[in-house]
Amino acid sequence: MTDTRVISTWTEFTRNSAIYLLFTFVTIKVFKFLFCNSRTSEMSSFSMATHPEALRRERILNSRLYFDVPLSKVSIIYSSAYDISFMGIEKLHPFDSTKWGRVCKFLVSDGFLEEKSIVEPLEASKTDLLVVHSENYLNSLKSSATVARIAEVPPVAFFPNFLVQQKVLYPFRKQVGGTILAAKLATERGWAINIGGGFHHCTAERGDLDAHQGNGHETDLGDDNRVYILDMYNPGIYPLDYSARRFIDQKVEVASGTTTEEYLRKLDEALEVASRNFQPELVIYNAGTDILDGDPLGLLKISPDGVTSRDEKVFRFAREKNIPLVMLTSGGYMKLSARVIADSIENLSRQGLIQTRPE
């Protein structure tokens, strides 16, 4: 069985991110079930309709998301389809919906990455999403009004749903596919970065409109003893989900105004404690940038260099313990975020913790 450590830096997309959040747990749970069940396992003869767990297993084993990636590609996953452009209405929300593409452009223009070496993921299909979400929930997204409410972008309600599917939901289904593929790549190569994903507020049955605490995965995975959740978050801001907090294995609360030095000290202590409490087979690192000083929702005072140090510490922790690590870029509400993420990835490359050029 696969043990998974979730390190959430309480970062998350935004209220608009709720759309992103819709598909979150596919990214963790699909991977978990795949590696809990060999592709060579024979399906039992009983009725799939009668045994939902068998049906779930069948969906996972038949998924196209886990394709083999050639060595000519590096373990960085991105698609231009991640970026959202929808007649300008994406600008009604503070989240930078072109952040992912700008991160990759910085990496390419700085000479750290070649476009041809980036891995293009597949879109998570409805069958993939049904591994976690219910049919009723997915069908509810066929209503543009429902999507508009979840995204907190009211004009979305007035568009035909086929446009909403194409312009709003499709990009996030691609990012889900990217996270699932990143988990496979990490187990094969030691690390992988999805320049997207990290929708840690969504649960199996609803789109969640909160900000930073990773209450989505806490709610869905809290009773799974194969999963250890380390959540580093600001307890004084939205979502204030006290019910979900009881599922956190290791709480690291960082109050509004926390400085870089204090934040990094708490991170060092947290990683040391976690290493004594759990021996995972995979780390899923939700590396959002709403910890940055000046972020209007995060309310911390972490410098760009502090974000770089944070990421390096987490990668070194995983490297020293020989644990595969998946990094997801998650939230952050400042235009500066894309540059900060790119700088951090470049530092990981310079430190020899990742390889951004094919062997």
Side-chain angles (χ1 to χ4, degrees), residues 4-163:
T4 304
R5 183 192 311 272
V6 178
I7 296 181
S8 170
T9 53
W10 60 269
T11 62
E12 191 24 66
F13 279 174
T14 102
R15 297 178 171 243
N16 161 224
S17 286
I19 279 291
Y20 320 2
L21 312 178
L22 300 178
F23 307 105
T24 283
F25 279 93
V26 173
T27 63
I28 297 176
K29 285 193 172 179
V30 170
F31 172 78
K32 178 179 66 177
F33 281 108
L34 175 69
F35 284 86
C36 288
N37 302 279
S38 167
R39 285 185 178 273
T40 59
S41 296
E42 295 183 359
M43 299 304 298
S44 300
S45 58
F46 48 67
S47 167
M48 295 298 172
T50 306
H51 300 275
E53 191 60 35
L55 177 58
R56 188 201 310 255
R57 184 180 300 115
E58 181 186 43
R59 286 170 172 156
I60 293 167
L61 297 179
N62 290 331
S63 176
R64 297 171 57 244
L65 297 177
Y66 302 93
F67 60 86
D68 292 329
V69 176
L71 293 177
S72 60
K73 304 282 189 178
V74 299
S75 300
I76 294 180
I77 299 170
Y78 166 75
S79 168
S80 59
Y82 284 11
D83 301 296
I84 299 173
S85 178
F86 191 12
M87 302 181 186
I89 65 172
E90 71 278 0
K91 297 177 182 178
L92 296 176
H93 195 281
F95 184 77
D96 178 10
S97 62
T98 63
K99 175 181 78 172
W100 308 288
R102 294 196 300 115
V103 170
C104 283
K105 286 179 181 177
F106 285 135
L107 293 173
V108 171
S109 63
D110 293 348
F112 279 85
L113 187 64
E114 294 180 333
E115 287 188 23
K116 65 181 182 181
S117 66
I118 298 172
V119 181
E120 169 92 18
L122 298 176
E123 173 193 8
S125 67
K126 180 178 180 179
T127 299
D128 293 320
L129 298 175
L130 283 170
V131 170
V132 172
H133 296 292
S134 71
E135 183 105 27
N136 286 340
Y137 178 67
L138 296 180
N139 285 340
S140 75
L141 302 180
K142 295 177 182 178
S143 164
S144 296
T146 298
V147 176
R149 175 179 52 80
I150 293 171
E152 293 188 338
V153 182
V156 168
F158 299 101
F159 286 89
N161 191 256
F162 78 89
L163 279 179

Side-chain angles (χ1 to χ4, degrees), residues 270-287:
L271 292 176
E272 178 59 32
V273 171
S275 69
R276 296 195 299 266
N277 292 345
F278 202 66
Q279 291 74 47
E281 296 178 24
L282 178 71
V283 170
I284 298 178
Y285 173 39
N286 208 44

Side-chain angles (χ1 to χ4, degrees), residues 129-272:
L129 298 175
L130 283 170
V131 170
V132 172
H133 296 292
S134 71
E135 183 105 27
N136 286 340
Y137 178 67
L138 296 180
N139 285 340
S140 75
L141 302 180
K142 295 177 182 178
S143 164
S144 296
T146 298
V147 176
R149 175 179 52 80
I150 293 171
E152 293 188 338
V153 182
V156 168
F158 299 101
F159 286 89
N161 191 256
F162 78 89
L163 279 179
V164 174
Q165 293 289 330
Q166 178 185 353
K167 297 294 187 178
V168 180
L169 299 180
Y170 172 70
F172 299 111
R173 291 194 291 262
K174 285 283 280 190
Q175 292 193 45
V176 168
T179 299
I180 293 172
L181 180 59
K184 176 180 184 291
L185 265 180
T187 62
E188 295 171 347
R189 303 184 184 184
W191 67 274
I193 298 173
N194 182 18
I195 308 293
F199 313 145
H200 65 170
H201 297 303
C202 147
T203 67
E205 293 295 335
R206 70 180 186 271
D208 195 341
L209 302 180
D210 51 7
H212 305 299
Q213 173 200 347
N215 59 326
H217 62 250
E218 291 159 7
T219 298
D220 279 10
L221 300 175
D223 291 327
D224 192 331
N225 61 14
R226 296 170 297 182
V227 178
Y228 185 93
I229 299 175
L230 191 169
D231 198 342
M232 195 167 182
Y233 64 98
N234 184 340
I237 61 174
Y238 198 80
L240 302 174
D241 191 338
Y242 299 102
S243 176
R245 287 182 191 179
R246 62 194 173 94
F247 295 118
I248 301 174
D249 295 287
Q250 187 178 342
K251 297 184 183 74
V252 184
E253 297 186 340
V254 284
S256 297
T258 295
T259 63
T260 300
E261 182 179 0
E262 182 182 1
Y263 182 92
L264 294 177
R265 177 183 60 78
K266 286 193 171 187
L267 175 61
D268 285 336
E269 293 172 354
L271 292 176
E272 178 59 32

Side-chain angles (χ1 to χ4, degrees), residues 290-344:
D290 47 5
I291 65 171
L292 281 167
D293 188 8
D295 187 278
L297 296 183
L299 304 183
L300 299 188
K301 293 186 177 297
I302 313 305
S303 67
D305 286 345
V307 172
T308 296
S309 295
R310 176 200 67 178
D311 295 348
E312 182 178 334
K313 286 176 181 292
V314 174
F315 269 80
R316 286 195 183 281
F317 170 85
R319 170 69 66 85
E320 289 169 1
K321 299 185 177 304
N322 198 30
I323 307 169
L325 182 147
V326 176
M327 174 176 166
L328 311 173
T329 58
S330 195
Y333 300 85
M334 300 170 67
K335 284 287 186 181
L336 177 64
S337 285
R339 180 70 265 182
V340 171
I341 293 168
D343 287 344
S344 180

